[in-house]
Amino acid sequence: MVNHLSDATTLANGVRMPWLGFGVYKVSEGDEVVQAVKTAIDVGYRSIDTASFYENEEGVGRALKESDVAREELFLTSKVWNDEQGYNETLAAFDRSLNRLQTDYLDLYLIHWPMKQTYEDTWHALGKLYDSGRVKAIGVSNFEIHHLKELLKGHTHKPVVNQVELHPRFAQKELRAFCQEHNVQVEAWGPLGQGRLLDHPVLEEVGKKHGKSPAQVMLRWAIQNDVVVIPKSTTPARIQANADIFDFSLDGEDVAKIDTINEEKRYSGNPDEIGGWI
Ligand code: NDP
């Protein structure tokens, strides 16, 4: 049972990744991101999820440098963006991310979306970075089962994480089962439905029973489903509240109620469309 903010999952290659991380999509470069990341670290978050696409890696790096927590105690994720993919392009993009983040390694580097033309070369580059020790774990994001099957088929390096849209309305049951079978840790982006599920009556009802908010119920639900979560907030009280999810647990009845929300429908972009597969 996950019952502490410092609890972590062990990835297929032995690396430990916290169940709760802090997402910084749409957090502005500069003071906003620096303040948000510092607040999260003060609260006790040890995992930060950024991407070159978010254009805030410099601020994330500054916050990590200025915090009292040693780099080795932090888990830092970034991602290679769609137009940076390809073998040499990815190696160069990785260097740029490290420079901006002012660090000499990443804990996790992900292919942001499965770009049909370039993802294989990109994956080879991630393998090289992993072998060189400059990244502790490599994985993918927004990969559907058919993309994962391709990647798992002919490659020496296996992705240890798949970061996908996942929340009670889009529970990704099939993908979760596939990933579990293949030792790929699922990580939820948009774990709060990107703000769209916060006043859902079922989540309010379950929350009331435990003295928790719908946001806290959604995060707890994901973790109890063995899914890593990375909620984003720039509001200090919410950054704190999103970490106060380790002192309660959902029972079978709660989970059954939350399951009724599932429509297996995403709110955001379809990976096949974005990646040029259809
Ligand atoms: P989230 O599901 O984390 O929702 C964020 C929204 O919820 C913000 O508007 C925030 O508002 C609000 N919020 C947060 N906590 C609370 C709370 N306790 N009560 C009420 N409202 C709350 O969406 P994200 O899209 O940010 O996803 C999380 C992270 O996942 C991203 O930041 C990013 O790191 C990653 N991501 C990855 C993607 C990928 O393609 N790999 C795509 C999208 C996201 P406020 O800030 O004002 O408090």
Side-chain angles (χ1 to χ4, degrees):
M1 182 62 79
V2 177
N3 56 17
H4 197 271
L5 180 43
S6 62
D7 284 349
T9 175
T10 304
L11 303 177
N13 66 341
V15 165
R16 305 264 298 156
M17 176 181 195
W19 285 106
L20 177 72
F22 185 65
V24 295
Y25 180 40
K26 292 193 176 164
V27 183
S28 306
E29 180 60 293
D31 287 348
E32 186 175 60
V33 78
V34 172
Q35 277 318 315
V37 171
K38 281 185 170 174
T39 303
I41 291 174
D42 284 347
V43 163
Y45 292 73
R46 290 294 175 267
S47 167
I48 312 292
D49 181 86
T50 185
S52 65
F53 179 67
Y54 304 166
E55 296 185 343
N56 57 20
E57 289 176 309
E58 278 183 29
V60 170
R62 216 173 92 202
L64 300 191
K65 270 257 142 76
E66 289 173 11
S67 90
D68 297 332
V69 178
R71 173 69 186 88
E72 316 78 75
E73 285 173 42
L74 296 161
F75 188 98
L76 182 56
T77 302
S78 193
K79 318 181 188 85
V80 53
W81 184 241
N82 304 347
D83 65 7
E84 296 174 315
Q85 291 195 31
Y87 187 79
N88 290 322
E89 292 84 348
T90 298
L91 296 179
F94 181 82
D95 284 343
R96 287 195 297 274
S97 279
L98 283 198
N99 267 334
R100 287 190 291 260
L101 288 160
Q102 294 186 63
T103 185
D104 53 8
Y105 74 96
L106 287 185
D107 294 279
L108 179 63
Y109 198 43
L110 304 175
I111 300 183
H112 209 137
W113 291 87
M115 304 309 288
K116 188 173 183 190
Q117 305 301 332
T118 44
Y119 83 96
E120 281 219 78
D121 291 340
T122 305
W123 187 247
H124 286 300
L126 262 59
K128 182 173 166 73
L129 292 166
Y130 179 73
D131 290 340
S132 73
R134 298 174 75 204
V135 57
K136 308 285 179 207
I138 52 175
V140 293
S141 175
N142 299 303
F143 273 50
E144 308 263 275
I145 292 176
H146 76 98
H147 306 123
L148 285 171
K149 278 186 176 163
E150 290 290 320
L151 203 60
L152 289 165
K153 225 171 20 192
H155 298 272
T156 332
H157 295 91
K158 308 289 178 209
V160 295
V161 170
N162 186 17
Q163 183 186 113
V164 293
E165 179 180 348
L166 195 156
H167 41 70
R169 181 188 189 244
F170 188 39
Q172 297 261 30
K173 284 198 169 174
E174 222 184 311
L175 180 66
R176 270 198 272 139
F178 182 88
C179 285
Q180 192 178 21
E181 194 186 320
H182 294 275
N183 266 319
V184 180
Q185 174 65 54
V186 176
E187 179 178 21
W189 65 253
L192 307 173
Q194 301 193 299
R196 294 175 183 91
L197 289 168
L198 292 162
D199 53 4
H200 197 288
V202 169
L203 299 171
E204 278 179 351
E205 186 194 331
V206 173
K208 214 168 172 188
K209 174 171 152 191
H210 296 280
K212 295 286 174 181
S213 68
Q216 291 168 322
V217 169
M218 282 190 265
L219 298 173
R220 184 72 207 178
W221 167 83
I223 290 177
Q224 283 188 214
N225 277 306
D226 295 328
V227 171
V228 167
V229 286
I230 44 169
K232 169 263 171 186
S233 179
T234 45
T235 315
R238 291 175 177 170
I239 297 174
Q240 173 73 60
N242 293 344
D244 293 337
I245 54 169
F246 298 98
D247 57 354
F248 77 114
S249 36
L250 301 168
D251 60 28
E253 189 191 337
D254 302 328
V255 172
K257 278 188 188 154
I258 297 168
D259 275 348
T260 64
I261 301 173
N262 189 19
E263 297 175 35
E264 290 297 348
K265 269 195 194 144
R266 62 179 88 247
Y267 286 123
S268 219
N270 178 339
D272 280 324
E273 273 172 32
I274 290 172
W277 299 78
I278 48 175

